[in-house]
Amino acid sequence: MISRRHVSLKPVLGILAGLSGLLAASAAGAQTVEIPLDQVHVLAFKTPVKTVFVGNPVIADITVIDPTHVFILGKNFGTTNVVALDERGEEFFNEQVTVLDRPGSIVTLQRGAGKSTLNCNAARCEGAPTPGDENVPYDLLTGQIDKRNALNAKAASGQ
């Protein structure tokens, strides 16, 4: 004969609810920091930081401002993470950092296999070296920039 025991599910449901709340809170606190290339983002912590580290310093760099603020500089395209430890050495921050393309109008000059990147607006273009650009003497690049600027000026004047 099989005996059935009555087991209360309330404690089990309470534990499951607590765990799901904890998981939801950590997911809600997760963030991805997105930084344009060659720009800085200020990251503020709720807890004072004793140690802060970036996973791949080729992608981003960190400068500590004070115990609760750091600058993150986007150095190269890609994704890495930032980890912060409190005074007890316990991790309280570990988030993704993605370095994106610069805002604005990017123009890529392609010469055979080589390329150069320019940041342009309606009036002028300036060199904006990007990872993968060839090492072109600036005077050669500025000659092409000057030609483009002259064409822009001519088009703007209606000639």
Side-chain angles (χ1 to χ4, degrees):
M1 189 161 145
I2 299 175
S3 71
R4 294 188 180 187
R5 284 202 281 173
H6 178 68
V7 178
S8 174
L9 293 178
K10 285 184 182 180
V12 174
L13 292 176
I15 291 170
L16 290 175
L19 286 175
S20 66
L22 181 62
L23 291 173
S26 65
Q31 66 181 28
T32 298
V33 178
E34 294 182 344
I35 307 168
L37 184 67
D38 295 330
Q39 293 193 15
V40 173
H41 174 79
V42 176
L43 186 59
F45 299 109
K46 294 178 182 175
T47 305
V49 174
K50 178 71 174 179
T51 304
V52 64
F53 189 79
V54 64
N56 186 344
V58 172
I59 294 174
D61 196 12
I62 291 184
T63 302
V64 176
I65 303 168
D66 61 39
T68 57
H69 296 89
V70 296
F71 285 129
I72 302 175
L73 169 66
K75 293 171 58 177
N76 277 305
F77 300 119
T79 300
T80 186
N81 69 321
V82 172
V83 175
L85 307 177
D86 62 16
E87 288 196 12
R88 296 181 308 243
E90 294 180 14
E91 180 181 302
F92 71 91
F93 184 88
N94 185 344
E95 300 300 336
Q96 295 291 306
V97 174
T98 300
V99 178
L100 307 169
D101 203 0
R102 293 178 184 98
S105 299
I106 301 297
V107 174
T108 302
L109 295 176
Q110 193 76 40
R111 287 184 298 274
K115 74 175 185 78
S116 298
T117 306
L118 305 170
N119 193 358
C120 300
N121 60 31
R124 59 181 285 120
C125 288
E126 294 182 357
T130 301
D133 281 1
E134 66 180 339
N135 189 10
V136 177
Y138 189 73
D139 57 342
L140 176 65
L141 191 58
T142 57
Q144 292 180 353
I145 293 171
D146 291 341
K147 287 178 188 176
R148 183 186 184 283
N149 289 339
L151 289 172
N152 280 345
K154 185 177 179 181
S157 68
Q159 295 179 1

